[in-house]
Amino acid sequence: MTTLKVNGREHQVDAEADTPLLHVLRDDLKLNAAKYGCGLGQCGSCTVIVDGKAVLSCVVPMVLLEGKQVTTLEGLGTIAEPAPIQRAFMEEQAAQCGYCIPGMMMRAQALLQKNSKPTDEQIRAELEPHLCRCGTHMRILRAVHRAARLMDTADALPAANGSAR
Amino acid sequence: MNAPLILDRRRMLAGGGALIVSFSLGSALAQQQDAPAASAPSPPGSLKTSPYLDAWIRIDANGVEVFTGKAELGQGFKTAFQQIAADELDIAFESLKVTTADTRLTANEGYTAGSNSMKDSGTAIQNAAAQVRALLIAEAARRLDQPEANLRTENGAVIAPDGKRLPYGELVAGEMLHVQAQPTSKLKDPATFKVIGRPVPRVDIPAKVTGGEAYVQDMRLPGMLHARVVRPPSYGAQLTECDTAAVEKLPGVVKVVRDGNFLAVVAEKEFQSIKAMNALAAAAKWKETASLPKQDDLLNVLTSLPSQDTTIFERSNPAVTGQKTIEATYTRPYQAHGSIGPSCAVAQLIDGAMTVWTHTQGVFPDRQGIAEMLRMPPARVRLIHVEGSGCYGHNGADDAAADAAVIARALPGRPVRVHWTREQEHAWEPFGPAMVTKLKASLDGNGRIADWNFDVWSNTHSMRPGGAGSMLAAQHMAQPFAVPAPRPLPLPEGGGDRNAIPFYNFPNARVVHHFISAMPLRISAMRALGAYHNVFSIESFIDELAILAGADPVEFRLKHLDDQRGRDVIEKAAHAFGWKSDQKPPPDRGYGFAFARYKNLAAYCAVASEVEVNRETGRPRLIRAAAAVDSGQVVNPDGLINQIEGAIVQSMSWTLYESVTFDDTRITSIDWQTYPILRFNSVPESIEVHIIDRRGQPFLGSGETGQGPAAASIANAIANATGKRLRNLPLTRKRIKEAIDA
Amino acid sequence: MRASTRIIAGIVAAVLIAAAVAAFAIAWRPAIAAIDPPDPQSFDTALVKRGRDLAAIGNCSDCHTPRGAKNFAGGLPVPTPFGTIFSTNITPDPETGIGRWSEAAFRRAMRSGVNREGQHLYPTFPYDHFTNVSDEDDRALYAFLMTRQPVRAAARENQLSFPFDQRLAIAGWKLLFLRPDAYRPDPKQSAEWNRGAYLVEGLAHCGACHTPRNALGAERVSARFAGGDVDDWHAYAINDQSRSPVPWTADALFTYLREGWHPDHGTARGPMAKVVSNLSSVPASDVRAIAVYTASVSGTPTSGRTGPSDDALARAKMASQTNPVGASIYTAACASCHEGGRPLPYGGVDLGLSTSISSPDPRNLANVVLSGIDAVEGERSPIMPGFAASMNDDQASALLNYLRARFSDQPAWADLKKTIADARRTQAVFLQTSPAPRNAPADPQQREKP
């Protein structure tokens, strides 16, 4: 049994040390947002936040997570009470099939936590590890800009370090 | 998710299973019997094949439910259907529930493909809703003993002149809606639409951006097992040896399933199944055969294969003769759908009945194939569509469904989830077919096109299931099912010849379709089918002719186009882009334009683009694009814009980067390293989409209309920037550099 | 730079200034008359094409085209121990570029590091190598550059401290280190070898990175190709000091330089990525010549290296026992690709073959583990995820220690945690400023048969 802190809660997880975080999140904790896209660190669909940084959960084994805080999209907000980044993606209708979107949102969230006013160029550079096949890129960029504006409105700050819910 | 064989609400209401069975059979029979009802006028859209109103709209005390046989693939039409039904039924948008493709619950609408969903299902729902509303008014009139003309509908109820409300739920009794649709409906005046034509937010997005259960990949049924398939290393490889003993002892492993060349492993947890799959793959020995053609020589490979040649279009006006003639050959490689989420399905066998949850585009045809493969009666197999990662055509979804069914059969009672790996998706999905087009045309003395010759070589563009043989699991079994013989898809929609017939007015024209039945690579339908390459070729060649004529590309197109809606779209895109006949792009930049009407019968789309080419490296970059689209009556303008934006961006990725690679035996493009697609550093600065809304006009599908025009527009802009014409897709940095350096 | 070297540098510099003042007379160079920019059409097309290939071999664009900037318009900051020097605009723009340079002026710059106006150029422009370029090749290079798109972009002011901001000092440097016309063909060697020598020692300026430098920033002749530093990467020794587990051969070098990777050596990355990317477009015969010559200067490897050692298994076992954390990180984060059995370059090199693990300098390994290998835009290319965000310094150093112990027979690295901390900082800068592509767009046509 390993202890894993996800979205502010501690979980006892029965997974071997080499199990990638992605499978623990999906299989043991029944969380949906982090997606399996390639398992090779090439597409970004599995991105979550660990200690404030965006990481590819498909290539991060449990052994690296001791004492660290994991935040997934579920930890940011809900349909009823969406976090700014979630509101922004809803308001911009920034999805087609939407499969890649949670990963994009987590990387954007990590960016906005350390840089509340990123330039368009910075957002593009940050999202470089992420693939979208539907071609929703223009909306994704708009949504990240919108999220930056929403976060800027003082109290809108979300559970930055995974303490939501 | 609905668990299998749990009675659903409708069944309970009907007091047993009888009604459901009769409905399912009824609609299946209806399809066979009623379809070609000869000369009698038939109702529009998919009502033609599924005419019972309650196949589309069902009402009871709990509310109103809309059914569609189409599958939501991320296009957002679930929302659009809800908008249509809300307006035609006069009911609040939020109060409606939409159920998508399910062989037990919905009409059989074949495949969700060809940009036909709005035309087929949207039209059916619109007319069914209008007719249901008429029935409700008639019923209210009967009950109130009032003339129908005195009654109106509002917010889910019929309202009497004295203000008395009769909610729809109270009006419907028994089989009131189980009646056949009339050929015509009394549709709402478009001026009174409340939600149609508005950018209603999509109903599926909130769950997708908050970690809700949104995809088949997210399904977790009680007791569910995880399976992984070990695919052969190449087409036709034979499993010669596989010692499974060690794999069976691995932690969590429940079973190794082997049937001929079909090999899979099932485990309690997903990562256990992955580890077991790796071990099983290492234990499996295969005999491979070199059977693939030369990737670098597709032009000759395709044109030298035996073909079935059909002249699909011919027009002649001997009075007009050409003066200056040019010809050109264009090629397209095999390209991959490349879904971001590899294919996935869940299946469960209970009491001899199989249920499969799948992101197939056609639950009914896929059920046919799976039933045949399992040698079960189709009535014992239920397929339920659950959304998956975007598919853009026939990808691995149906194969994953078949995999899940075969594995679940070996483990009765337990739900089994199969998820493909990235490498399997890339290597085994049916690709978009390679194509060759040869064009030859002449200008007359006035700089108009006098004659036009177009030849296209291509495989079929659909190997979708129907029979078992189109699915990998069935092909790999010890007693395999043969791959069905490929057939050309009939015009006017066409397959390899989709959009091969010019939409322009040429006095002399001849179009020949060279249908190739041999298929060295596994192929099937990919967004826009042959239209992508045909429009790329036609619209590139139109530019070549415009240059020859010394004409502005936009004016040159308008000169050859009579169709007013087409002209409007061209003018709108040109205007939005700021196109001017005497324009001169900045250094290293070029402007390009292209237009098509998808299938020559669906949505119109024109795209203007500005591309920058780095002279030293050859690197192309789409800077901006402006598009105009006419898809008839617009239901959800933001959804339409999203589709066109996406089409332009995706087509840009196909056009600039993408080709499936292979050696003499194996597919070698097996992940995002080896099959690179667009990343954020190449995303344009802006894409504008302008809609021409045709209120009251029929819905025209638009999901695929942007692929061809975007490709040609970019190719034309590259030619404009460099002075070099590239005719072989993809228009890679390397090819552009070679052209510049030549 | 360490304090001791700084003191030495200061003393030497002072001496140098004295020498330079004395040498003022010989240091002075006249301006060469400005010309009207020649018509691009006046250059022979074949000459321009040859110039393009030569410019690729010379890797000109790497320094003169910073990321996202206009081709050859300069502006790349080049950090040196003496301050930051910015590359200049070599487009034919008459005001800010070399549009008014005659061919003679261009040749003089290549030959002796003097610009048209007569100013000495800093040797970040590697004229200590370019001095070997023939007149004929200079002509082709000139033709190529003068037919590029002119870009108006004024040079950025260098940021150098005294006395290094005195261009006169460069004359002294040249007296000490510039050897014009030193290159002579070796009649005992083949024409191919001689072609390779001419390119390697001249235009390709391999030594600029692969030879260590002295306190004055000049290549140490006595340690030619013994390994150097560039952009916080270590340029491996390519002489007999090479730590490559499998010795390089001419064939291996050819494949590596041409395609960006080799199954026995892995994938080019860091600053070398751009070099191999350029070499993929030049005539194969030139790359072959470079490979033949380089293989011959590699000589016989020291310390009896013949391939991965036989006791690799024993080492693996020992490493796992002494460093279980590193071992489990390796199994989970690295082995899935590096032991995945997929052919290179996409499968990840067998780490037993990795020079970065056998190298005395751990920076390259740290750089790659932390930053990964990014995709090359729209081209088939290896991708490796970076682990900077998911590993802390302790975890990264446990991993590197494990890799070193398991996959090499070399002693453990000292100061690994500092190297990792530095790499975290410097790579962030490198990845933002280095020209694209940052990695080699390897496009292998071959595949290992099953």
Side-chain angles (χ1 to χ4, degrees), chain C residues 153-410:
Chain C
R156 292 174 66 182
E157 202 67 35
N158 293 331
Q159 295 158 2
L160 294 164
S161 52
F162 184 82
F164 306 107
D165 57 349
Q166 302 301 303
R167 283 190 182 262
L168 203 57
I170 305 170
W173 189 94
K174 287 180 183 173
L175 273 181
L176 293 170
F177 304 115
L178 179 64
R179 284 173 188 72
D181 307 321
Y183 173 75
R184 292 275 179 277
D186 180 347
K188 294 196 293 295
Q189 298 284 356
S190 68
E192 189 175 50
W193 185 96
N194 273 301
R195 174 73 180 159
Y198 166 74
L199 291 173
V200 167
E201 304 296 347
L203 196 55
H205 63 288
C206 306
C209 292
H210 287 279
T211 298
R213 292 178 182 269
N214 64 19
L216 285 173
E219 292 173 31
R220 283 166 50 203
V221 179
S222 60
R224 198 168 63 123
F225 297 138
D229 296 317
V230 54
D231 292 341
D232 298 297
W233 291 73
H234 178 61
Y236 296 128
I238 52 172
N239 60 7
D240 62 358
Q241 306 288 304
S242 165
R243 296 293 338 161
S244 164
V246 174
W248 284 96
T249 63
D251 282 346
L253 277 163
F254 175 74
T255 303
Y256 181 84
L257 294 175
R258 186 90 183 150
E259 297 187 12
W261 65 282
H262 187 275
D264 291 346
H265 302 277
T267 303
R269 63 256 189 279
M272 191 65 192
K274 182 72 196 221
V275 175
V276 296
S277 157
N278 279 331
L279 291 181
S280 71
S281 69
V282 309
S285 57
D286 279 347
V287 181
R288 170 71 61 188
I290 290 171
V292 164
Y293 174 73
T294 310
S296 86
V297 299
S298 298
T300 318
T302 53
S303 68
R305 290 178 304 117
T306 51
S309 72
D310 299 333
D311 55 359
L313 266 180
R315 275 213 311 271
K317 204 171 161 200
M318 178 68 85
S320 303
Q321 280 166 2
T322 53
N323 184 353
V325 175
S328 57
I329 297 173
Y330 169 77
T331 312
C334 315
S336 49
C337 284
H338 286 275
E339 290 183 24
R342 289 170 63 181
L344 255 60
Y346 306 114
V349 70
D350 172 351
L351 293 177
L353 300 173
S354 164
T355 309
S356 65
I357 294 175
S358 305
S359 166
D361 188 329
R363 280 180 301 172
N364 293 7
L365 184 60
N367 289 341
V368 160
V369 167
L370 293 176
S371 305
I373 300 178
D374 289 352
V376 176
E377 178 190 333
E379 296 181 40
R380 289 161 67 88
S381 64
I383 301 173
M384 173 180 149
F387 291 88
S390 49
M391 286 183 203
N392 59 31
D393 290 0
D394 285 330
Q395 290 167 331
S397 98
L399 173 64
L400 263 59
N401 272 323
Y402 172 79
L403 297 174
R404 178 78 159 176
R406 173 163 172 189
F407 294 109
S408 84
D409 52 5
Q410 299 296 303

Side-chain angles (χ1 to χ4, degrees), chain B residues 267-292:
Chain B
E268 294 287 347
K269 295 178 75 171
E270 186 161 18
F271 191 58
Q272 291 170 334
S273 74
I274 293 173
K275 282 178 148 179
M277 169 191 71
N278 289 334
L280 192 57
K285 303 280 176 281
W286 303 87
K287 185 173 171 290
E288 297 183 70
T289 318
S291 64
L292 300 184

Side-chain angles (χ1 to χ4, degrees), chain A:
Chain A
M1 283 289 184
T2 324
T3 305
L4 184 66
K5 283 184 225 159
V6 179
N7 299 331
R9 281 181 53 197
E10 291 204 349
H11 300 268
Q12 294 301 311
V13 177
D14 180 18
E16 290 166 51
D18 64 348
T19 310
L21 172 61
L22 172 68
H23 294 295
V24 174
L25 294 174
R26 294 192 61 85
D27 215 5
D28 295 276
L29 305 185
K30 319 285 183 217
L31 294 170
N32 294 316
K35 302 285 192 233
Y36 170 82
C38 66
L40 302 162
Q42 298 175 3
C43 76
S45 311
C46 63
T47 304
V48 299
I49 294 179
V50 175
D51 283 355
K53 290 177 188 152
V55 306
L56 302 167
S57 68
C58 76
V59 289
V60 174
M62 290 295 283
V63 63
L64 289 175
L65 293 166
E66 210 187 313
K68 295 183 184 175
Q69 295 271 2
V70 179
T71 308
T72 72
L73 189 57
E74 288 93 342
L76 298 183
T78 61
I79 292 184
E81 284 181 72
I85 187 90
Q86 292 167 320
R87 249 183 75 192
F89 273 73
M90 289 185 210
E91 287 169 1
E92 290 292 346
Q93 293 284 289
Q96 285 190 38
C97 85
Y99 197 87
C100 67
I101 297 294
M104 302 254 190
M105 292 172 74
M106 293 314 283
R107 173 123 10 219
Q109 173 75 18
L111 169 68
L112 295 175
Q113 282 173 200
K114 65 170 195 252
N115 176 2
S116 61
K117 291 193 178 98
T119 62
D120 196 57
E121 203 181 344
Q122 285 169 329
I123 296 171
R124 286 168 188 252
E126 192 71 17
L127 292 177
E128 188 66 14
H130 292 259
L131 295 175
C132 165
R133 189 54 165 162
C134 297
T136 320
H137 302 71
M138 307 308 295
R139 284 167 185 252
I140 293 166
L141 292 171
R142 284 204 295 273
V144 179
H145 282 295
R146 179 183 283 259
R149 291 196 301 273
L150 289 174
M151 285 186 189
D152 212 27
T153 54
D155 58 342
L157 259 182
N161 294 311
S163 55
R165 288 223 258 171

Side-chain angles (χ1 to χ4, degrees), chain B residues 229-546:
Chain B
V229 181
V230 174
R231 289 267 177 250
S234 55
Y235 297 138
Q238 299 292 314
L239 185 59
T240 54
E241 198 187 316
C242 188
D243 184 357
T244 60
V247 176
E248 278 158 6
K249 288 194 200 83
L250 287 174
V253 169
V254 176
K255 196 176 182 68
V256 172
V257 179
R258 183 181 168 180
D259 184 347
N261 295 312
F262 180 85
L263 196 56
V265 60
V266 190
E268 294 287 347
K269 295 178 75 171
E270 186 161 18
F271 191 58
Q272 291 170 334
S273 74
I274 293 173
K275 282 178 148 179
M277 169 191 71
N278 289 334
L280 192 57
K285 303 280 176 281
W286 303 87
K287 185 173 171 290
E288 297 183 70
T289 318
S291 64
L292 300 184
K294 284 224 175 315
Q295 187 197 315
D296 295 338
D297 195 27
L298 280 177
L299 168 63
N300 291 318
V301 169
L302 289 187
T303 51
S304 57
L305 282 168
S307 65
Q308 175 190 319
D309 302 344
T310 315
T311 302
I312 56 171
F313 183 75
E314 206 154 21
R315 179 188 289 156
S316 154
N317 180 353
V320 186
T321 51
Q323 318 255 316
K324 284 189 275 187
T325 303
I326 56 170
E327 47 193 308
T329 301
Y330 296 81
T331 65
R332 171 208 181 172
Y334 294 94
Q335 291 175 318
H337 301 80
S339 297
I340 298 297
S343 294
C344 181
V346 179
Q348 186 172 24
L349 180 71
I350 296 181
D351 299 336
M354 180 69 76
T355 305
V356 184
W357 291 264
T358 161
H359 58 114
T360 177
Q361 290 179 286
V363 286
F364 284 92
D366 203 18
R367 174 177 75 166
Q368 192 68 32
I370 288 177
E372 185 189 345
M373 175 183 73
L374 300 177
R375 299 186 161 82
M376 288 172 71
R380 301 293 285 163
V381 179
R382 177 182 183 187
L383 260 70
I384 301 170
H385 180 267
V386 185
E387 218 184 314
S389 178
C391 63
Y392 327 104
H394 177 198
N395 70 344
D398 304 271
D399 297 305
D403 292 343
V406 172
I407 300 165
R409 181 175 61 173
L411 290 154
R414 306 231 15 207
V416 176
R417 173 182 180 274
V418 177
H419 204 170
W420 281 18
T421 65
R422 168 52 44 208
E423 293 92 331
Q424 288 168 348
E425 186 76 25
H426 260 94
W428 284 98
E429 67 148 277
F431 305 119
M435 294 173 73
V436 173
T437 43
K438 290 192 178 178
L439 288 84
K440 186 176 170 190
S442 310
L443 294 177
D444 67 13
N446 301 319
R448 293 180 72 104
I449 295 169
D451 58 70
W452 175 271
N453 287 278
F454 185 95
D455 285 73
V456 54
W457 284 259
S458 175
N459 282 135
T460 182
H461 281 251
S462 178
M463 289 299 288
R464 297 172 186 279
S470 39
M471 292 179 295
L472 291 174
Q475 293 167 13
H476 292 162
M477 288 172 157
Q479 289 181 300
F481 290 83
V483 179
R487 277 196 293 259
L489 304 173
L491 285 165
E493 304 217 341
D497 51 355
R498 180 168 291 184
N499 274 86
I501 297 172
F503 195 61
Y504 298 102
N505 226 341
F506 302 140
N508 296 286
R510 186 163 188 266
V511 180
V512 181
H513 179 206
H514 304 261
F515 173 77
I516 304 165
S517 56
M519 294 189 297
L521 271 74
R522 183 169 196 247
I523 55 93
S524 193
M526 183 157 141
R527 196 175 186 180
L529 311 193
Y532 167 65
H533 181 69
N534 291 332
V535 171
F536 162 72
S537 316
I538 291 172
E539 289 293 298
S540 293
F541 200 58
I542 288 278
D543 255 41
E544 296 196 51
L545 288 159

Side-chain angles (χ1 to χ4, degrees), chain B residues 652-716:
Chain B
M652 168 201 157
S653 181
W654 292 1
T655 303
L656 297 181
Y657 308 132
E658 298 181 27
S659 55
V660 169
T661 61
F662 43 90
D663 57 24
D664 61 2
T665 310
R666 291 183 181 180
I667 304 297
T668 54
S669 48
I670 52 166
D671 59 9
W672 302 120
Q673 303 180 90
T674 45
Y675 191 85
I677 64 170
L678 166 84
R679 286 180 183 267
F680 266 95
N681 56 6
S682 316
V683 171
E685 286 165 15
S686 78
I687 295 181
E688 282 175 34
V689 179
H690 299 269
I691 296 174
I692 300 178
D693 189 1
R694 302 285 184 187
R695 295 230 130 189
Q697 290 287 324
F699 306 131
L700 300 177
S702 58
E704 296 161 296
T705 188
Q707 307 302 114
S713 172
I714 291 168
N716 289 336

